[in-house]
Amino acid sequence: MVATRNKCTSQPERAKRKAQTRWVAGAAVLLAEYLFFSLRYDTQPLLVRGGDWSGLGAMGTLATVALAVATAAVLFRGGALFRGTALFRGTASFRGTASFRGTASFRASREPAPVTTGQPWLRSRMALALHVLCLAGLVALSERLFSTGAQEASGLAAAGWLAAAAGAAASLVAALTPIPELLCSLRRMALPLALTAGVGLAAWATGMATQHLWPPMSTATLWSVAATLTVFASNVVLGAPEYVVGTETFAVTITPVCSGFEGIGLLGTFMGAYIGFARGQLQWPRALVLVPAGMLAAWVANVLRISALIGVGHWLSPETAIGAFHSKAGWVLYCAAALGLVAWSHRSRMLARQPSEPTDKLAHVAAPYLAPLLGVVAASLVTGLFAGAVDVLYPARVLAGGSLLWAYRATLQRELTWRGSPRAMLLAAALGAAVFAIWIALAPAAHQDSASALRSELDSMSPLLFAIWIGFRIAGAVLVVPVAEELAFRGYVLRRLIDKDFTRVAPGAFSWPSFLVSSATFGALHQHWLGGLLAGMVYALAVYRRGRLADAVLAHAVTNAILAAYVCTTGNWHLW
């Protein structure tokens, strides 16, 4: 008997990992290129210029739609091109014999597997060279487009811009996978791709549609805030035509941004995506109640945010209310509403198929790795609400993270105990010094106004308050933050991306996806994301070198110690 091979069968495990690595690297390149063009060029002015270039003004909208579709693909695991042969596991599953089980079934044909002609390495390098050429042409045309003489640009130049963009995208895809294999994957993934595209478009359309809720929502928000304020204040000011509400000493104007419709679209879409992602744990169709519940929670959270904003401006400080509290309170409340609804859905007998009982978090295997950093982040969200140029309540972050590290000290001792020679310690310290050099080289220059405000606020502190603040700031940067962040990113995330049971993965285990994703996530946590990305890579290399998490903690602590000394001696407080 001669076995036949399925045209769309999965590759061997090793080939799948290589393909996965290629697609992760391709996604990273695409993200970097997108950030470059989005930060350097603005397509919105093209919409009002007119002429042959005006149609390109829609590129910004198309980018937003593409990001929404990509997010849906990740949530529903529809964008599984990252898995080599693009196995899709979602509402249907595609397994070795190529059978789609779900709403439809697809039986594999017994045709032989496609054969890729040519040398793969040569094909990939030629495609990458073409990608670089198209990208260079795209940059040159974009520079002309956004120059002062762009209005005289011809339609031929506009067509060339579109051709260069299409060529850059096509050549990048061609460098990642052979065209026959890509076509095979696309045929197999037609239904999953259609579903994820529909979800992404629906999310984008929901966000656009909520803008039309401004007239009715502004009035409802205005009266609800006034009713909330009457519980705590007797001198409530209400100006319905101007949408003004507050007290005699501090009032605000309800604008479209403050009306809450953006939060409604955000939480409504998020809960819809969560229902699809966790459909195996929720009862259908009862779980659909989470969508209107999320929308209502977003609106209530916005009413509370505006009421609290007025309260802070009236009783504490108008500067604090207009500054940090105004910009951060919304995110804190929306995140709390989303997490609260998710937690409720898992414990509700009406929604969950098997309601989960509250567990002892101290006994949870992942808690020692995540709780300290979450404690620091939670404290920073609260203290940031009342921060000016300087977060004078920074000691609360140190106390929150330090207390959780102390609570899990027995579990963390085996991870962080140093075992190595003085040479190993010097090498880890050298990596930390290298990260400091990278951070200083990539850090943007301080804005003159913000830098002067920072210095003036520090100078206004009393000597005792400044000594306490600077002591906690150094202790947090050198002792608490390195341990908390390395436990979370190199102790948990780096290994969790390799195996669901991360405890079975040694700290020194390497995979390209875990290395890149964990480093990118670490960078996103920092204000200077590029420096944070490179720092995360170096700290990961410190772990890979000996398989010891303590090496990364030491390197991180050295980086922050040198940075603290540099900031205190030079007065460049913006680097903190």
Side-chain angles (χ1 to χ4, degrees):
M1 179 181 294
V2 179
T4 58
R5 296 176 59 189
N6 175 13
K7 185 176 180 178
C8 294
T9 52
S10 61
Q11 300 173 346
E13 188 65 26
R14 184 176 180 181
K16 289 198 296 183
R17 289 182 179 178
K18 289 183 178 180
Q20 182 184 29
T21 301
R22 289 199 308 269
W23 281 99
V24 169
V29 171
L30 184 61
L31 177 61
E33 293 173 356
Y34 169 76
L35 289 174
F36 169 78
F37 281 98
S38 62
L39 293 175
R40 185 172 179 82
Y41 308 114
D42 183 13
T43 61
Q44 190 64 27
L46 296 178
L47 293 174
V48 297
R49 281 187 185 177
D52 296 322
W53 285 103
S54 60
L56 297 182
M59 290 296 107
T61 302
L62 292 178
T64 305
V65 174
L67 287 176
V69 173
T71 302
V74 173
L75 286 174
F76 294 102
R77 300 184 182 181
L81 285 172
F82 290 67
R83 300 175 181 266
T85 54
L87 301 183
F88 176 72
R89 301 175 179 90
T91 55
S93 61
F94 186 83
R95 303 202 182 274
T97 56
S99 59
F100 241 141
R101 299 180 179 90
T103 58
S105 62
F106 173 76
R107 297 296 177 185
S109 63
R110 294 186 175 274
E111 300 177 14
V115 179
T116 304
T117 59
Q119 299 180 5
W121 63 269
L122 180 61
R123 172 188 55 78
S124 297
R125 282 158 179 75
M126 292 179 62
L128 285 176
L130 180 60
H131 178 72
V132 172
L133 289 176
C134 291
L135 198 64
L138 190 62
V139 171
L141 289 172
S142 298
E143 292 291 341
R144 181 184 179 188
L145 166 63
F146 291 94
S147 65
T148 56
Q151 292 184 353
E152 289 80 26
S154 64
L156 182 61
W161 192 94
L162 291 174
S171 58
L172 181 59
V173 173
L176 298 176
T177 185
I179 298 301
E181 180 182 337
L182 177 64
L183 294 176
C184 179
S185 298
L186 290 176
R187 285 196 300 270
R188 183 176 61 237
M189 291 180 59
L191 178 60
L193 286 175
L195 291 174
T196 53
V199 172
L201 288 171
W204 172 78
T206 302
M208 297 296 294
T210 52
Q211 297 182 13
H212 301 289
L213 297 176
W214 156 241
M217 287 201 58
S218 59
T219 303
T221 303
L222 179 73
W223 287 98
S224 298
V225 170
T228 304
L229 290 175
T230 55
V231 179
F232 307 99
S234 58
N235 53 345
V236 175
V237 174
L238 179 64
E242 300 83 12
Y243 300 111
V244 175
V245 63
T247 65
E248 293 179 351
T249 57
F250 186 84
V252 299
T253 301
I254 305 289
T255 63
V257 177
C258 301
S259 64
F261 64 79
E262 289 183 337
I264 288 179
L266 177 67
L267 266 187
T269 303
F270 172 79
M271 297 314 300
Y274 165 70
I275 292 171
F277 185 74
R279 61 196 172 279
Q281 290 78 42
L282 300 175
Q283 298 188 52
W284 185 268
R286 297 180 182 178
L288 292 176
V289 73
L290 289 172
V291 175
M295 299 172 73
L296 178 61
W299 182 76
V300 172
N302 188 62
V303 170
L304 295 177
R305 178 184 72 90
I306 298 176
S307 303
L309 173 69
I310 296 172
V312 170
H314 176 75
W315 284 293
L316 295 179
S317 167
E319 292 77 13
T320 300
I322 298 174
F325 193 94
H326 178 264
S327 61
K328 297 179 180 179
W331 285 108
V332 174
L333 289 173
Y334 290 148
C335 290
L339 293 175
L341 286 172
V342 170
W344 171 63
S345 68
H346 281 288
R347 293 185 171 90
S348 171
R349 297 185 180 275
M350 180 185 73
L351 300 179
R353 292 188 177 183
Q354 293 181 350
S356 59
E357 298 296 333
T359 57
D360 183 6
K361 293 184 178 180
L362 293 178
H364 195 280
V365 66
Y369 298 88
L370 299 177
L373 180 60
L374 292 177
V376 173
V377 172
S380 66
L381 289 174
V382 176
T383 61
L385 298 177
F386 308 97
V390 177
D391 186 0
V392 295
L393 299 178
Y394 184 89
R397 305 189 198 183
V398 181
L399 296 175
S403 61
L404 288 169
L405 289 173
W406 178 259
Y408 294 114
R409 62 189 182 281
T411 304
L412 302 180
Q413 185 176 3
R414 66 173 182 269
E415 287 278 10
L416 302 180
T417 300
W418 179 265
R419 297 182 181 89
S421 62
R423 181 175 178 272
M425 184 177 295
L426 289 175
L427 288 175
L431 290 176
V435 172
F436 165 76
I438 294 172
W439 187 266
I440 294 298
L442 297 177
H447 191 273
Q448 184 175 0
D449 293 338
S450 60
S452 60
L454 183 61
R455 284 193 296 268
S456 63
E457 190 164 334
L458 288 173
D459 293 339
S460 65
M461 290 184 180
S462 65
L464 178 60
L465 179 59
F466 180 77
I468 294 174
W469 183 85
I470 198 69
F472 272 98
R473 191 67 179 83
I474 295 175
V478 179
L479 301 178
V480 175
V481 171
V483 179
E485 291 187 349
E486 293 310 312
L487 283 172
F489 288 99
R490 259 62 65 179
Y492 177 78
V493 176
L494 193 71
R495 295 150 67 185
R496 176 62 177 81
L497 291 170
I498 297 177
D499 194 322
K500 184 176 182 180
D501 184 3
F502 75 100
T503 58
R504 299 187 301 181
V505 180
F510 174 83
S511 76
W512 278 108
S514 67
F515 171 66
L516 295 174
V517 174
S518 63
S519 300
T521 308
F522 180 77
L525 187 68
H526 294 76
Q527 184 177 5
H528 310 311
W529 65 270
L530 181 56
L533 169 66
L534 297 177
M537 291 181 173
V538 175
Y539 296 147
L541 293 177
V543 177
Y544 292 142
R545 192 174 62 86
R546 293 197 314 133
R548 298 286 184 182
L549 185 61
D551 289 38
V553 173
L554 177 59
H556 198 153
V558 169
T559 300
N560 288 4
I562 300 177
L563 181 61
Y566 178 82
V567 168
C568 292
T569 54
T570 62
N572 292 313
W573 301 103
H574 69 281
L575 294 175
W576 252 0

